[in-house]
Amino acid sequence: MQYALQLAGVLAIGALETVKIAVMALAISLPVGLIVGAGRYSRTRYFRWPAAAFVETFRNIPVLVSIMWFFFAFPMLVPFEISAYAAAVLALSLNTSAFFAEIFRAGIQSISPGQWDGARALGMSYRDQMRRIILPQAIRRMVPAFTNRWIELCKLTALASTISYQELMYTTKMIANAYYNPVEMYSVCGLIYLAIIYPMVRATYRLERRAAKETA
Amino acid sequence: MDYSWNFDIISRSWDLLLLGLANSVYLTAASFVLGLPLGLALALARLSRRKALSGLAGWYVDFFRATPSLVQLYWFYFALPQILNVQIEPGTAALLTLTLLSSAFVAEIFRGGIASLDKGQWDGARAIGMSYAQAMRRVILPQAIKRMIPIFLERAIELFKTSTIASVISFPELLFAAQDLAARSYRSLEVYSVVALIFMVTLISLSQITRRLELRLARSGETTTS
């Protein structure tokens, strides 16, 4: 019994680390994704091209590959150490930002040109059109796509275990190796992820249904 | 910055990387193809009027959506062999994981595609005396599948990225080949950069093909983009 309690404590710490990585990566990805997404929509090619390159690069390199790159390759280029935490958060943030940028761009593009024309006819500046008319409508449409990506991000955090960052997956692996109980440990680990992520999946279904009703 | 680049290891071992890429492609293609019939069966189960059947299929899909693929892979590689008391090779465990994962996602695409068809198609097929199975096979699926092709390809691209997790159980796909080379040569910067580039070029080419196909399908009247 005491053994079970100790295990639960260790797993809880691991789960907390998992949440920490996910939240940190989200906090970085939201602003970066919005800026890059706006850049892709810019009329100046000096913003548009770098933004497109950013999106294509980080969307097309598998996250595990960029985690490895940031952990094993990047430190050779820079004069400072890169912790496993930093490498994981960096790789996850860049990947998620690229996807957020695409969602953001598609959301703005989905607003009918009449909305822009109408706002301009009222004498609004480009910034006002964007801030008061386009963004409020676009963001509502983007919410289900954002939450879907957030769910992906939560799942991808498990990849940090491959560079020995002690989140839930790594903790599970260590215990399973030490106690020879892979069946129990990996099943419990799966259930913990399910308990964290499943409610979010349900919430996304609800959001998608609501969005479908609004556009219908 | 005083790092001096040296790509000797790449030019000496490009055949290993190529073999890794071939294994990545094999793993992705095999699990995607195996996942298709399984996904269709799941979609039909989900659309079924029997509550137990559709509920079960729904649970299956949600389970794979709500757990990291790495946990699934470890489970099939470390836990399943103990339960069944058999040996499971890394390649088999990876294929099993990715096939089941793919089937869950493919099921959702099939379901969406079938549901997106106009109800009149069903009514028409029934009116000329077709059974449910005949209507599905001859009228609904052929139209639905055409609409779904670009989404299937997008899914296959995602699966290709996910297939890199097979490296953690030492299946010799491209990322594993990179880890192996980097460890032996101490040239992690060159090796990982080149491998990231290979992944990028491969995946961008695949996305381009998908986009072109999408445009062509849109022109032939089967709009998948709105």
Side-chain angles (χ1 to χ4, degrees):
Chain A
M1 191 58 215
Q2 207 186 352
Y3 157 80
L5 276 179
Q6 267 173 2
L7 277 191
V10 176
L11 287 178
I13 295 171
L16 220 59
E17 289 298 319
T18 290
V19 174
K20 198 171 104 189
I21 302 181
V23 170
M24 192 64 193
L26 178 73
I28 297 172
S29 306
L30 271 176
V32 175
L34 294 189
I35 292 167
V36 175
R40 287 212 75 179
Y41 203 69
S42 160
R43 267 170 246 165
T44 346
R45 58 169 178 261
Y46 300 105
F47 289 127
R48 216 165 52 224
W49 288 352
F54 178 93
V55 168
E56 288 302 319
T57 306
F58 292 108
R59 225 166 46 137
N60 284 299
I61 295 177
V63 179
L64 190 51
V65 176
S66 60
I67 287 180
M68 296 282 156
W69 193 88
F70 278 113
F71 193 62
F72 294 113
F74 190 48
M76 307 207 154
L77 285 176
V78 290
F80 45 86
E81 297 267 312
I82 308 259
S83 66
Y85 176 73
V89 168
L90 211 54
L92 287 167
S93 303
L94 291 170
N95 177 263
T96 306
S97 302
F99 278 99
F100 277 178
E102 281 302 272
I103 296 170
F104 189 64
R105 186 174 70 119
I108 292 178
Q109 267 172 353
S110 80
I111 303 296
S112 96
Q115 298 286 331
W116 289 99
D117 297 341
R120 198 161 338 131
L122 288 174
M124 287 189 186
S125 67
Y126 178 81
R127 273 193 55 177
D128 276 349
Q129 292 168 29
M130 191 64 126
R131 212 183 58 221
R132 298 207 188 150
I133 307 295
I134 305 301
L135 278 186
Q137 300 181 67
I139 285 174
R140 280 243 301 278
R141 290 189 191 179
M142 293 185 276
V143 168
F146 270 123
T147 51
N148 262 326
R149 209 54 232 175
W150 159 245
I151 291 169
E152 276 311 304
L153 174 60
C154 292
K155 293 195 279 178
L156 289 170
T157 56
L159 297 178
S161 66
T162 59
I163 51 171
S164 308
Y165 186 70
Q166 307 195 354
E167 41 66 77
L168 181 55
M169 185 78 255
Y170 185 81
T171 312
T172 303
K173 217 173 121 187
M174 287 301 110
I175 299 173
N177 285 348
Y179 294 93
Y180 302 108
N181 54 355
V183 178
E184 292 85 348
M185 286 316 297
Y186 289 113
S187 305
V188 167
C189 175
L191 288 176
I192 297 175
Y193 276 111
L194 202 63
I196 301 174
I197 299 172
Y198 185 66
M200 302 194 270
V201 171
R202 299 302 308 182
T204 311
Y205 288 155
R206 268 201 302 279
L207 286 172
E208 275 167 358
R209 267 201 302 275
R210 193 184 304 164
K213 224 180 283 167
E214 266 175 26
T215 48
Chain B
M1 191 178 58
D2 47 9
Y3 187 83
S4 61
W5 295 74
N6 183 345
F7 286 95
D8 279 356
I9 182 70
I10 305 289
S11 52
R12 263 187 287 126
S13 322
W14 62 269
D15 51 332
L16 277 180
L17 294 179
L18 214 59
L19 185 69
L21 182 62
N23 275 332
S24 289
V25 171
Y26 151 75
L27 186 59
T28 310
S31 47
F32 186 72
V33 169
L34 290 173
L36 281 176
L38 202 55
L40 178 59
L42 278 167
L44 293 179
R46 270 207 93 169
L47 290 167
S48 153
R49 253 170 261 157
R50 265 172 239 150
K51 275 259 164 61
L53 198 60
S54 75
L56 213 62
W59 262 97
Y60 179 94
V61 171
D62 282 348
F63 178 82
F64 280 95
R65 271 194 76 169
T67 49
S69 32
L70 198 54
V71 183
Q72 297 154 15
L73 181 67
Y74 279 133
W75 198 89
F76 283 117
Y77 188 58
F78 292 115
L80 190 63
Q82 269 208 358
I83 296 173
L84 301 179
N85 213 1
V86 289
Q87 286 272 334
I88 294 185
E89 297 290 311
T92 317
L95 187 65
L96 190 62
T97 309
L98 292 174
T99 300
L100 296 182
L101 176 71
S102 176
S103 75
F105 283 102
V106 162
E108 283 301 278
I109 302 172
F110 270 121
R111 193 173 70 113
I114 293 171
S116 80
L117 281 185
D118 191 83
K119 230 181 126 281
Q121 297 287 337
W122 283 104
D123 297 339
R126 297 311 273 268
I128 53 172
M130 286 189 186
S131 68
Y132 173 84
Q134 282 174 328
M136 184 62 97
R137 211 178 56 228
R138 299 198 190 155
V139 179
I140 304 300
L141 278 184
Q143 299 182 67
I145 285 175
K146 204 173 166 196
R147 293 185 180 191
M148 291 184 279
I149 290 172
I151 318 176
F152 276 145
L153 286 174
E154 263 167 45
R155 244 7 277 184
I157 290 171
E158 283 306 307
L159 195 64
F160 193 92
K161 293 185 217 166
T162 310
S163 75
T164 53
I165 61 169
S167 64
V168 304
I169 55 167
S170 310
F171 177 77
E173 46 70 75
L174 183 51
L175 182 58
F176 184 78
Q179 288 164 350
D180 185 39
L181 270 190
R184 280 193 286 130
S185 66
Y186 299 104
R187 286 282 166 193
S188 5
L189 182 58
E190 289 85 346
V191 172
Y192 281 114
S193 301
V194 167
V195 163
L197 205 67
I198 297 177
F199 270 112
M200 206 170 100
V201 170
T202 313
L203 286 162
I204 288 181
S205 323
L206 285 174
S207 316
Q208 284 303 323
I209 295 171
T210 308
R211 213 164 294 166
R212 217 160 288 168
L213 198 71
E214 208 166 345
L215 286 178
R216 186 186 295 178
L217 286 173
R219 232 181 293 138
S220 74
E222 295 293 341
T223 337
T224 51
T225 50
S226 45

